[in-house]
Amino acid sequence: MEKQKRNVFIGALITLGIVYGDIGTSPLYVMKALLADLKGNQNLTENYIIGCLSLVFWTLMLMTTVKYVLIALKADNHGEGGIFALYALVRQQKRWLIVPALIGGAALLADGTLTPAVTVTSAIEGLKGVTLGKRVLIDTQNDVIIVTFTILLVLFLIQRFGTSFIGQGFGPVMLLWFSFLAVVGLVNLVADPSVLRALSPHYGLALLFSPTNKVGIFLLGSVFLATTGAEALYSDMGHVGRRNIYLTWPFVCGALLLNYFGQGAYLIAHLEQIQAQKELVNPFYLVLNDHFYLFGVILATLAAIIASQALITGSFTLVQEAVGLKILPRMKVEHPGLSRSQIYIGGINWMLCICTTIVLFYFKTSEHMEAAYGLAITLTMLMTTLLLFEYLRARLAHEFWAYLVLFGFGMIELIFLAASLSKFTHGGYVTVLITLLILAMMIFWYFGNRVREKYADRSEMVDLRDYKEMLLELSKDEKEPLFTDNLIILAKVKRNFKVKRELLYSILDKKPKRAKVYWFVTVNTTDEPYSNYYTVDMMGTRNIVNLQLFLGYKMNPSVNLYLYQIVSDLMQKDVIDEQPQKYTTSPGRIVGNFSVLAIQEILSPNTRISPWTRILIAGRIFLQNHSTTPIQWFGLETSEVHIEKVPLFLKKRSVPVIEQRVILNPKDIKRSTCE
């Protein structure tokens, strides 16, 4: 019993360190953003403070607690959560659901470039003017930027080495952080409990239409910042489990609300002093006692770093899922640690680093960054609601509840989106630009693949069974030099045994490639995250193998990891012949060498397609040539690789017939050429 309690505590501690970094650092900037909407501290009133607290409270209750904790967490794909896991559950229902999945995924990745800059800058700004002895730690905003940049750069640099050694300390730090938030908030709340009247939604709704509110309904753009980590909460379910989130959310939510209400109580108690100040104040730092101020800022900085780390690793996971669902091109995935969930994608890491650095040096202050922050995640939440609606409609006995979720949360999120768009010219355009760039990449890859399959000339597809006898004959023809023992052809063999003609052309026509066994390998991605199995069709032979690998969208796609195991398994079952090696460092070796044949397509100019289709295909080919190659993706770098370039024909142009004519006087040719 005691051991069980200990395991529960450890699980809860890990959850605090992984899941709540983003939403847990929101007290650093939410109330500050709401004060910035006043356009001057002199406009601050008690009603404004109470109204803001009411809006923050009900946003956390409705958007985070009800939508994500109580509803979305139940929409899991074998324990995995997030927008792509949800899409994998519903993509068979309607084809158009790919649209919200693409938009939501692109916006979520864009959010990953903003969160590190906003949270760390907000924390370091608390050190401005603070003296340690007789020395001022950080004097100017430029100092803030330099320190923030240094912290973030180190954070991105250590990603490739794995973060398990840092992650072990995340949980205790976040436990201390949330406890600190709760205590500081409670101390200030006790001084003026009257702010608890903000629990009534009346005050929040009244503020939206009050003359005190200078920006009207667009105030919700700043209010929304309080719930920006809700989507990350859903995405991280696979790492910690639904039960641990249920267990820890009441504590986290309580700590956040206590801190918000404590900030509000302090503002009301010191209203006249704050109204007299000309510069924008950050209530989070105002409520800190002088004796604990430096400790609070250091703790806030650690929490901000943890939030940034969570967003970076979350981006890796998101990209891995997108690649598995064929939404993004293949990228090299490394596993720095022993855990399969701990991954590193170099290209994404440095893309995030560059974007975060640009955001940092472009906006310079957390106040300006907050204008860009929130817009992307609002879009993601709206797209999640659309997918969640389809999921619930297919599984609930009464569709009414699904429509209630759609219209209830959809209307709220549309209002939040409109409010966030009001900040477009003040920095929101940066979020939109980053989202559009990522979305364009997804569109080119996903729809480029679809178009390629749709318009591919059917004559370019042949039946593998028609060439079975020819392959058998080539395999036994000792007049041809042995090319390899096992020829691995990365193919896509369909259920009707159709394959691209160019594959067989490369084996038979270009230069006959004699092998003991021909392996036509198809890697299929399943909707289940961690499925891992294969099927084999020998086509009535002992050396022509139609191998279908079925891997979950979160599994490592390295064919090399599975191929040797499959070959040994088939030999033990006497399905294929042994391949004893005369020259080897491993006595008794019965598995021969491997060679890989891969086809690289080049769009042929002799192709009759529309300009838009040509752009999609060209974009897809560009991404393919500038991302991980199939050899790297399938983990076949250690094998002998043969890449053959072939033209891709999509709806061939008809070639005009050219006729032969007899030239009576050859001098005419020379004369006309010279002329």
Side-chain angles (χ1 to χ4, degrees), residues 67 71-72 75 83 86-87 89-90 93-94 96-97 100 234 381-410 413:
K67 179 186 172 182
I71 299 176
I83 192 165
L86 183 56
Y87 167 67
L89 287 171
V90 299
Q93 294 173 210
K94 293 178 181 176
W96 66 267
L97 292 175
Y234 180 37
M381 285 186 171
L382 184 59
M383 297 303 107
T384 299
T385 297
L386 291 175
L387 296 175
L388 195 59
F389 163 70
E390 290 294 338
Y391 172 85
L392 294 173
R393 195 170 68 154
R395 286 160 178 79
L396 294 178
H398 301 287
E399 289 189 352
F400 168 78
W401 300 110
Y403 279 101
L404 183 63
V405 168
L406 175 65
F407 290 110
F409 292 111
E413 286 159 355

Side-chain angles (χ1 to χ4, degrees), residues 27-48:
L28 288 171
Y29 46 78
V30 171
M31 293 302 291
K32 178 187 171 186
L34 289 166
L35 292 185
D37 287 331
L38 278 170
K39 312 301 181 184
N41 292 335
Q42 68 277 7
N43 297 318
L44 183 63
T45 65
E46 183 175 335
N47 287 337
Y48 184 82

Side-chain angles (χ1 to χ4, degrees), residues 159-177:
Q159 296 303 313
R160 69 172 302 108
F161 302 108
T163 54
S164 58
F165 67 99
I166 301 175
Q168 292 173 2
F170 281 5
V173 172
M174 293 306 290
L175 176 61
L176 182 60
W177 167 249

Side-chain angles (χ1 to χ4, degrees), residues 154 158 198 214 235 293 329 340 377 474 481 517 526 602 610 616 669:
V154 170
I158 65 174
K214 304 298 180 182
S235 299
Y293 187 87
R340 69 178 178 181
I377 204 66
L474 174 60
V517 183
T526 69
I602 302 171
S610 67
L616 277 178
I669 300 176

